[in-house]
mmCIF file of all heavy atoms in Angstrom:
data_model
loop_
_atom_site.group_PDB
_atom_site.id
_atom_site.type_symbol
_atom_site.label_atom_id
_atom_site.label_comp_id
_atom_site.label_asym_id
_atom_site.label_seq_id
_atom_site.Cartn_x
_atom_site.Cartn_y
_atom_site.Cartn_z
ATOM 1 N N GLN G 172 22.875 107.494 -14.427
ATOM 2 C CA GLN G 172 22.190 107.743 -13.113
ATOM 3 C C GLN G 172 21.029 108.661 -13.477
ATOM 4 O O GLN G 172 21.208 109.799 -13.906
ATOM 5 C CB GLN G 172 23.229 108.459 -12.192
ATOM 6 C CG GLN G 172 22.724 108.416 -10.723
ATOM 7 C CD GLN G 172 23.799 108.865 -9.786
ATOM 8 O OE1 GLN G 172 23.750 110.029 -9.365
ATOM 9 N NE2 GLN G 172 24.684 107.996 -9.431
ATOM 10 N N ASN G 173 19.842 108.141 -13.174
ATOM 11 C CA ASN G 173 18.665 108.848 -13.594
ATOM 12 C C ASN G 173 17.635 108.871 -12.454
ATOM 13 O O ASN G 173 17.001 107.836 -12.195
ATOM 14 C CB ASN G 173 18.030 108.128 -14.829
ATOM 15 C CG ASN G 173 16.680 108.695 -15.223
ATOM 16 O OD1 ASN G 173 16.428 109.849 -15.022
ATOM 17 N ND2 ASN G 173 15.809 107.829 -15.750
ATOM 18 N N ASN G 174 17.533 110.017 -11.775
ATOM 19 C CA ASN G 174 16.615 110.085 -10.631
ATOM 20 C C ASN G 174 15.914 111.417 -10.748
ATOM 21 O O ASN G 174 16.328 112.421 -10.179
ATOM 22 C CB ASN G 174 17.425 109.997 -9.351
ATOM 23 C CG ASN G 174 16.481 109.887 -8.128
ATOM 24 O OD1 ASN G 174 15.283 109.954 -8.220
ATOM 25 N ND2 ASN G 174 17.063 109.762 -6.943
ATOM 26 N N ARG G 175 14.804 111.434 -11.458
ATOM 27 C CA ARG G 175 14.081 112.679 -11.696
ATOM 28 C C ARG G 175 13.495 113.267 -10.367
ATOM 29 O O ARG G 175 13.370 114.473 -10.224
ATOM 30 C CB ARG G 175 12.944 112.460 -12.705
ATOM 31 C CG ARG G 175 12.284 113.733 -13.145
ATOM 32 C CD ARG G 175 11.072 113.426 -14.006
ATOM 33 N NE ARG G 175 10.502 114.711 -14.525
ATOM 34 C CZ ARG G 175 9.710 115.497 -13.846
ATOM 35 N NH1 ARG G 175 9.418 115.148 -12.577
ATOM 36 N NH2 ARG G 175 9.218 116.606 -14.355
ATOM 37 N N GLY G 176 13.207 112.407 -9.414
ATOM 38 C CA GLY G 176 12.639 112.936 -8.179
ATOM 39 C C GLY G 176 13.621 113.608 -7.210
ATOM 40 O O GLY G 176 13.209 113.997 -6.131
ATOM 41 N N ASN G 177 14.890 113.628 -7.600
ATOM 42 C CA ASN G 177 15.882 114.141 -6.656
ATOM 43 C C ASN G 177 16.131 115.640 -6.845
ATOM 44 O O ASN G 177 17.151 116.140 -6.561
ATOM 45 C CB ASN G 177 17.182 113.380 -6.854
ATOM 46 C CG ASN G 177 18.164 113.608 -5.690
ATOM 47 O OD1 ASN G 177 17.765 113.750 -4.563
ATOM 48 N ND2 ASN G 177 19.471 113.721 -6.022
ATOM 49 N N ASP G 213 21.087 103.419 -12.876
ATOM 50 C CA ASP G 213 20.997 103.744 -11.437
ATOM 51 C C ASP G 213 19.821 104.685 -11.290
ATOM 52 O O ASP G 213 19.885 105.829 -11.712
ATOM 53 C CB ASP G 213 22.269 104.285 -10.922
ATOM 54 C CG ASP G 213 22.281 104.496 -9.410
ATOM 55 O OD1 ASP G 213 21.228 104.296 -8.795
ATOM 56 O OD2 ASP G 213 23.293 104.913 -8.862
ATOM 57 N N VAL G 214 18.761 104.241 -10.628
ATOM 58 C CA VAL G 214 17.563 105.022 -10.459
ATOM 59 C C VAL G 214 17.465 105.562 -9.043
ATOM 60 O O VAL G 214 16.415 106.266 -8.704
ATOM 61 C CB VAL G 214 16.270 104.286 -10.857
ATOM 62 C CG1 VAL G 214 16.302 103.916 -12.302
ATOM 63 C CG2 VAL G 214 16.136 103.024 -9.969
ATOM 64 N N LEU G 215 18.388 105.304 -8.168
ATOM 65 C CA LEU G 215 18.321 105.716 -6.784
ATOM 66 C C LEU G 215 19.485 106.602 -6.361
ATOM 67 O O LEU G 215 19.719 106.845 -5.185
ATOM 68 C CB LEU G 215 18.296 104.475 -5.866
ATOM 69 C CG LEU G 215 17.037 103.527 -6.050
ATOM 70 C CD1 LEU G 215 17.217 102.320 -5.134
ATOM 71 C CD2 LEU G 215 15.766 104.263 -5.799
ATOM 72 N N GLY G 216 20.249 107.072 -7.345
ATOM 73 C CA GLY G 216 21.428 107.857 -7.044
ATOM 74 C C GLY G 216 21.082 109.323 -6.688
ATOM 75 O O GLY G 216 19.890 109.704 -6.699
ATOM 76 N N ASP G 217 22.091 110.120 -6.452
ATOM 77 C CA ASP G 217 21.900 111.514 -6.018
ATOM 78 C C ASP G 217 21.765 112.428 -7.236
ATOM 79 O O ASP G 217 21.214 113.473 -7.167
ATOM 80 C CB ASP G 217 23.090 112.012 -5.222
ATOM 81 C CG ASP G 217 23.247 111.223 -3.872
ATOM 82 O OD1 ASP G 217 22.169 110.765 -3.432
ATOM 83 O OD2 ASP G 217 24.336 111.057 -3.401
ATOM 84 N N GLU G 218 22.272 112.027 -8.373
ATOM 85 C CA GLU G 218 22.209 112.856 -9.602
ATOM 86 C C GLU G 218 20.919 112.679 -10.370
ATOM 87 O O GLU G 218 20.412 111.538 -10.437
ATOM 88 C CB GLU G 218 23.383 112.536 -10.511
ATOM 89 C CG GLU G 218 24.777 112.834 -9.951
ATOM 90 C CD GLU G 218 25.037 114.350 -9.870
ATOM 91 O OE1 GLU G 218 24.292 115.094 -10.501
ATOM 92 O OE2 GLU G 218 25.968 114.739 -9.168
ATOM 93 N N ILE G 219 20.447 113.777 -10.922
ATOM 94 C CA ILE G 219 19.196 113.706 -11.699
ATOM 95 C C ILE G 219 19.516 113.031 -13.079
ATOM 96 O O ILE G 219 18.722 112.180 -13.475
ATOM 97 C CB ILE G 219 18.658 115.115 -11.904
ATOM 98 C CG1 ILE G 219 18.240 115.690 -10.569
ATOM 99 C CG2 ILE G 219 17.495 115.125 -12.877
ATOM 100 C CD1 ILE G 219 17.840 117.166 -10.615
ATOM 101 N N CYS G 220 20.585 113.415 -13.684
ATOM 102 C CA CYS G 220 20.999 112.802 -14.983
ATOM 103 C C CYS G 220 22.464 112.902 -15.082
ATOM 104 O O CYS G 220 23.009 114.035 -15.308
ATOM 105 C CB CYS G 220 20.254 113.485 -16.130
ATOM 106 S SG CYS G 220 20.570 112.728 -17.787
ATOM 107 N N CYS G 221 23.187 111.823 -15.002
ATOM 108 C CA CYS G 221 24.637 111.815 -15.021
ATOM 109 C C CYS G 221 25.101 110.491 -15.642
ATOM 110 O O CYS G 221 24.633 109.417 -15.266
ATOM 111 C CB CYS G 221 25.202 112.024 -13.635
ATOM 112 S SG CYS G 221 26.999 112.124 -13.617
ATOM 113 N N TRP G 222 26.021 110.617 -16.598
ATOM 114 C CA TRP G 222 26.664 109.454 -17.257
ATOM 115 C C TRP G 222 28.018 109.201 -16.667
ATOM 116 O O TRP G 222 28.797 110.168 -16.423
ATOM 117 C CB TRP G 222 26.823 109.671 -18.726
ATOM 118 C CG TRP G 222 25.521 109.825 -19.497
ATOM 119 C CD1 TRP G 222 24.719 110.929 -19.536
ATOM 120 C CD2 TRP G 222 24.951 108.864 -20.370
ATOM 121 N NE1 TRP G 222 23.669 110.687 -20.338
ATOM 122 C CE2 TRP G 222 23.746 109.457 -20.897
ATOM 123 C CE3 TRP G 222 25.336 107.571 -20.767
ATOM 124 C CZ2 TRP G 222 22.942 108.751 -21.754
ATOM 125 C CZ3 TRP G 222 24.485 106.895 -21.643
ATOM 126 C CH2 TRP G 222 23.310 107.508 -22.129
ATOM 127 N N SER G 223 28.340 107.907 -16.347
ATOM 128 C CA SER G 223 29.676 107.559 -15.855
ATOM 129 C C SER G 223 30.214 106.474 -16.714
ATOM 130 O O SER G 223 29.456 105.535 -17.107
ATOM 131 C CB SER G 223 29.557 107.123 -14.362
ATOM 132 O OG SER G 223 29.069 108.155 -13.580
ATOM 133 N N GLU G 233 33.093 111.178 -16.709
ATOM 134 C CA GLU G 233 31.770 111.442 -16.233
ATOM 135 C C GLU G 233 31.208 112.590 -16.990
ATOM 136 O O GLU G 233 31.899 113.625 -17.224
ATOM 137 C CB GLU G 233 31.831 111.770 -14.721
ATOM 138 C CG GLU G 233 30.475 112.060 -14.083
ATOM 139 C CD GLU G 233 30.607 112.410 -12.646
ATOM 140 O OE1 GLU G 233 30.630 111.514 -11.789
ATOM 141 O OE2 GLU G 233 30.756 113.604 -12.337
ATOM 142 N N CYS G 235 27.999 115.070 -16.684
ATOM 143 C CA CYS G 235 26.862 115.475 -15.896
ATOM 144 C C CYS G 235 25.951 116.395 -16.735
ATOM 145 O O CYS G 235 26.439 117.336 -17.350
ATOM 146 C CB CYS G 235 27.300 116.248 -14.638
ATOM 147 S SG CYS G 235 25.943 116.725 -13.553
ATOM 148 N N CYS G 236 24.717 116.065 -16.800
ATOM 149 C CA CYS G 236 23.753 116.741 -17.694
ATOM 150 C C CYS G 236 22.869 117.779 -16.956
ATOM 151 O O CYS G 236 21.883 118.243 -17.618
ATOM 152 C CB CYS G 236 22.927 115.771 -18.473
ATOM 153 S SG CYS G 236 23.877 114.498 -19.351
ATOM 154 N N THR G 237 23.123 118.003 -15.736
ATOM 155 C CA THR G 237 22.225 118.806 -14.899
ATOM 156 C C THR G 237 22.858 120.149 -14.566
ATOM 157 O O THR G 237 24.065 120.195 -14.299
ATOM 158 C CB THR G 237 21.813 118.081 -13.617
ATOM 159 O OG1 THR G 237 21.362 116.752 -13.941
ATOM 160 C CG2 THR G 237 20.761 118.790 -12.845
ATOM 161 N N HIS G 311 30.886 118.858 -17.436
ATOM 162 C CA HIS G 311 29.606 119.397 -16.932
ATOM 163 C C HIS G 311 29.064 120.434 -17.913
ATOM 164 O O HIS G 311 29.823 121.163 -18.542
ATOM 165 C CB HIS G 311 29.821 120.117 -15.577
ATOM 166 C CG HIS G 311 30.228 119.197 -14.491
ATOM 167 N ND1 HIS G 311 29.371 118.586 -13.644
ATOM 168 C CD2 HIS G 311 31.490 118.773 -14.072
ATOM 169 C CE1 HIS G 311 30.020 117.794 -12.766
ATOM 170 N NE2 HIS G 311 31.308 117.918 -13.014
#
Side-chain angles (χ1 to χ4, degrees):
Q172 196 171 99
N173 173 33
N174 188 358
R175 189 185 184 282
N177 196 35
D213 185 356
V214 295
L215 298 177
D217 297 330
E218 295 288 346
I219 297 172
C220 185
C221 184
W222 295 75
S223 301
E233 180 181 274
C235 183
C236 305
T237 309
H311 296 268

